[in-house]
Amino acid sequence: MVKIERVKGTRDLLPEQMAKRRYVFERIREVFELYGFNEILTPTFEYTRLFQLRSGEEVVNQLYAFRDKGGREVSLRPDLTSSVARLFVNQFQNAPKPVKWYYMANMFRYEEPQSGRLREFWQAGVELIGSANVEADAEVIALMVESYLATGLREFTVNIGDRLLLDEFAKMLGVDDDIGLMRLIDKKDKMSREDFIASLRDFGLNDGAVGKVLSLIELKGKPDEVLPKAYELFTSEVAKKELKKIEELFELLKAYGAYNYALIDFGIARGFDYYTSIVFEAIAPNDLGIGSIGGGGRYDNLVEVFGGKPTPATGFAIGIERLIPILESKGLLPEVALRPDVFVVYIGRDLEIRLKATEITQVLRKSGIKAEYDLQGRKLRKALDHANRLEVPVVVIIGRKDLAEGKVTVRDMKTGEQRAVEVEKVVGEVRRML
RNA sequence: GCCGGGGUGGUGUAGCCUGGUUAGCACAGGGGACUGUGGAUCCCCUAGCCCGGGUUCAAAUCCCGGCCCCGGCCCCA
């Protein structure tokens, strides 16, 4: 026999898991819409060129890329930001600003699966296009905070950094390979201080520069303690302006009520090289080996890269497969009952009785009661056994004797109490018992 | 792409080191004992050694390769 397994890095989602996921998606969706974001969906695959344009040739290694029968080079989407930017350029450049979109969709990245990382995974995200104001950054960061809160999560922080400041920092140190430096800085938490210093030296920094990097990564915490030091470290006008922006951002977050969850961490670079200014990532403490549970930032030149008018934009995405296990481990996901409310059982195989069972099941369903009847044709004893296993609270028993008097039997499976009721009163009786 | 640990019915496992009955057990599933009353008991049935190759008289067991899972690295758009 041929056994076909799942493709590496993919998951089957079973009813219990789907119910929980749907719960999480719904909570997030409510908040997204409350903030005035509207749902969109773009194709699952795009021209590979779209993703190359944004991030260069190297990225193709992590794409699910293939050639279709028409010879087109296409790729499954690794995220939705590129597609959104394409859509915006194609059709929405003249739409009233800002454009506020959200999505909940699956993404594909060809990487080695490990904790919190699959090859197909889902993200719930938003993009806010057309505003360069810090209010837009604050709006999406506050929305991200509210989204996590809506799922019941309380222990998390949104750590905020700034790519522009990192660029300024690299310039200040006279480093040409600013991306390389950022990658190094991004890894600071993964190694010891000594190893970090050693790798900075390997990178070619002198003692003074290493010291500056060390003071940069010290810039973590609440703005009132971090910003004064930051103003000392950064000297350029551009940097000072950006710091002023961060200062305002946190004032705005106070007004949004999201301040308590926000921290500065100027060591955050985030991988995506299209980010241009404020970037952020959400972290929730856990012992599951899961790092960030979401991230985002400002990408002011992506639209232009895709051939549009220069248009500022910002957004974020929440990693569902990272969020859910954390919620689960904290007991924040509701138990969902997949069982029916009523199980209808009939006695004997007479067509007349079977038809009656079907009709009564439909009547129950029409009145909004989750009802099933025994499609397997079990004998009464087995049927009750089955209902018990399903943990169905109420069973309706339909048999010739009762029916002769126009009645059926309604049984409470917990107490074992039961009574014969008129067929027309079944719905009322069942509802009373639920 | 690299490194480490794994893979036995649907699920959880025993057996593997030290090759040798019909691969055992539990749960789940189907049927029956029991013809209008469940949660119990008993009986029967269904169903498995990830795939391929090698060694051997003989492979779930030893060896090689692949696939997949768990974790880490790289990378993380």
Side-chain angles (χ1 to χ4, degrees):
Chain A
M1 233 225 303
V2 185
K3 185 176 175 184
I4 301 185
E5 296 179 315
R6 276 185 319 234
V7 172
K8 184 171 181 171
T10 61
R11 279 282 167 284
D12 295 311
L13 295 167
L14 307 183
E16 293 77 14
Q17 298 163 302
M18 282 309 291
K20 287 174 179 169
R21 288 170 74 90
R22 197 166 65 185
Y23 167 81
V24 172
F25 277 125
E26 288 310 315
R27 296 293 80 72
I28 293 174
R29 181 190 300 279
E30 285 163 9
V31 183
F32 282 3
E33 299 204 346
L34 216 46
Y35 274 65
F37 286 79
N38 295 311
E39 186 171 23
I40 56 148
L41 189 58
T42 59
T44 307
F45 49 94
E46 299 266 6
Y47 285 109
T48 300
R49 179 105 184 98
L50 177 74
F51 305 119
Q52 289 172 324
L53 249 184
R54 183 187 75 192
S55 314
E57 211 61 42
E58 185 196 329
V59 138
V60 176
N61 296 332
Q62 281 122 32
L63 287 175
Y64 262 100
F66 55 99
R67 184 194 300 265
D68 75 7
K69 290 182 180 181
R72 285 171 279 263
E73 296 289 346
V74 295
S75 291
L76 301 182
R77 57 181 175 223
D79 60 47
L80 222 71
T81 303
S82 300
S83 299
V84 162
R86 173 193 54 70
L87 172 61
F88 176 83
V89 170
N90 289 354
Q91 302 179 41
F92 286 85
Q93 293 203 70
N94 295 321
K97 305 295 179 306
V99 167
K100 296 167 84 175
W101 285 332
Y102 81 86
Y103 57 85
M104 296 181 169
N106 48 348
M107 312 296 162
F108 307 84
R109 297 183 195 180
Y110 196 88
E111 298 182 285
E112 264 334 278
Q114 51 190 283
S115 182
R117 181 202 273 178
L118 293 166
R119 288 186 172 182
E120 179 183 16
F121 58 96
W122 289 68
Q123 291 187 332
V126 308
E127 310 291 348
L128 193 160
I129 308 172
S131 172
N133 293 335
V134 67
E135 280 81 357
D137 300 273
E139 172 108 337
V140 297
I141 291 172
L143 176 52
M144 193 188 206
V145 167
E146 293 277 358
S147 302
Y148 290 124
L149 291 175
T151 65
L153 193 66
R154 292 293 177 274
E155 291 168 46
F156 68 93
T157 57
V158 175
N159 303 326
I160 298 168
D162 194 301
R163 285 294 285 267
L164 185 61
L165 286 177
L166 285 180
D167 275 330
E168 284 298 306
F169 187 73
K171 270 186 212 158
M172 207 166 81
L173 299 187
V175 172
D176 293 330
D177 180 11
D178 55 337
I179 301 274
L181 180 63
M182 283 180 204
R183 280 194 180 138
L184 216 48
I185 290 173
D186 215 26
K187 267 180 234 166
K188 63 188 184 300
D189 295 328
K190 286 190 176 175
M191 51 179 105
S192 69
R193 192 182 168 87
E194 290 71 37
D195 290 347
F196 182 61
I197 292 171
S199 60
L200 289 174
R201 289 235 166 75
D202 289 347
F203 185 74
L205 297 188
N206 60 33
D207 286 354
V210 168
K212 285 214 163 95
V213 172
L214 291 177
S215 24
L216 174 80
I217 65 170
E218 292 294 314
L219 295 178
K220 283 171 76 169
K222 283 294 174 188
D224 39 333
E225 51 200 61
V226 170
L227 284 176
K229 295 181 202 160
Y231 277 116
E232 284 174 29
L233 184 65
F234 290 99
T235 47
S236 76
E237 277 312 302
V238 179
K240 296 218 185 277
K241 253 179 84 179
E242 192 70 5
L243 283 170
K244 183 78 193 142
K245 199 168 125 186
I246 303 267
E247 210 173 322
E248 269 186 41
L249 173 70
F250 275 83
E251 288 304 316
L252 284 162
L253 289 177
K254 262 183 203 159
Y256 271 102
Y259 181 84
N260 289 343
Y261 297 93
L263 291 175
I264 287 179
D265 181 352
F266 284 129
I268 290 180
R270 296 197 46 79
F272 307 8
D273 43 20
Y274 60 73
Y275 286 127
T276 52
S277 172
I278 290 169
V279 293
F280 50 94
E281 61 187 27
I283 308 283
N286 67 87
D287 48 13
L288 306 172
I290 294 173
S292 87
I293 55 173
R298 181 166 279 284
Y299 52 97
D300 283 347
N301 52 28
L302 191 60
V303 168
E304 200 175 350
V305 167
F306 288 167
K309 295 181 285 192
T311 306
T314 179
F316 69 80
I318 292 173
I320 297 299
E321 281 78 6
R322 293 180 172 195
L323 175 59
I324 285 184
I326 291 176
L327 294 175
E328 184 116 59
S329 71
K330 294 180 183 295
L332 293 171
L333 295 177
E335 282 308 314
V336 277
L338 298 174
R339 54 159 179 74
D341 297 323
V342 192
F343 195 62
V344 177
V345 169
Y346 52 89
I347 303 163
R349 295 288 305 164
D350 293 353
L351 181 61
E352 186 198 339
I353 303 285
R354 280 150 56 203
L355 293 177
K356 203 69 202 173
T358 311
E359 285 168 16
I360 289 174
T361 304
Q362 286 302 89
V363 169
L364 288 163
R365 287 171 174 167
K366 289 242 161 71
S367 53
I369 296 168
K370 191 171 168 187
E372 279 187 59
Y373 79 108
D374 185 32
L375 295 170
Q376 300 300 103
R378 292 179 175 85
K379 289 176 181 167
L380 180 55
R381 193 184 293 267
K382 290 281 183 186
L384 287 171
D385 199 7
H386 181 68
N388 185 55
R389 201 156 306 156
L390 296 182
E391 299 181 316
V392 180
V394 177
V395 167
V396 173
I397 302 167
I398 294 159
R400 185 162 297 285
K401 288 179 195 168
D402 290 339
L403 223 44
E405 302 171 29
K407 292 183 173 178
V408 295
T409 297
V410 179
R411 182 180 178 84
D412 183 321
M413 291 298 281
K414 263 221 180 74
T415 64
E417 286 167 29
Q418 65 180 43
R419 47 188 290 216
V421 300
E422 266 101 74
V423 172
E424 308 80 56
K425 294 182 181 164
V426 171
V427 170
E429 180 66 9
V430 168
R431 191 164 276 152
R432 194 182 61 76
M433 295 172 69
L434 289 175

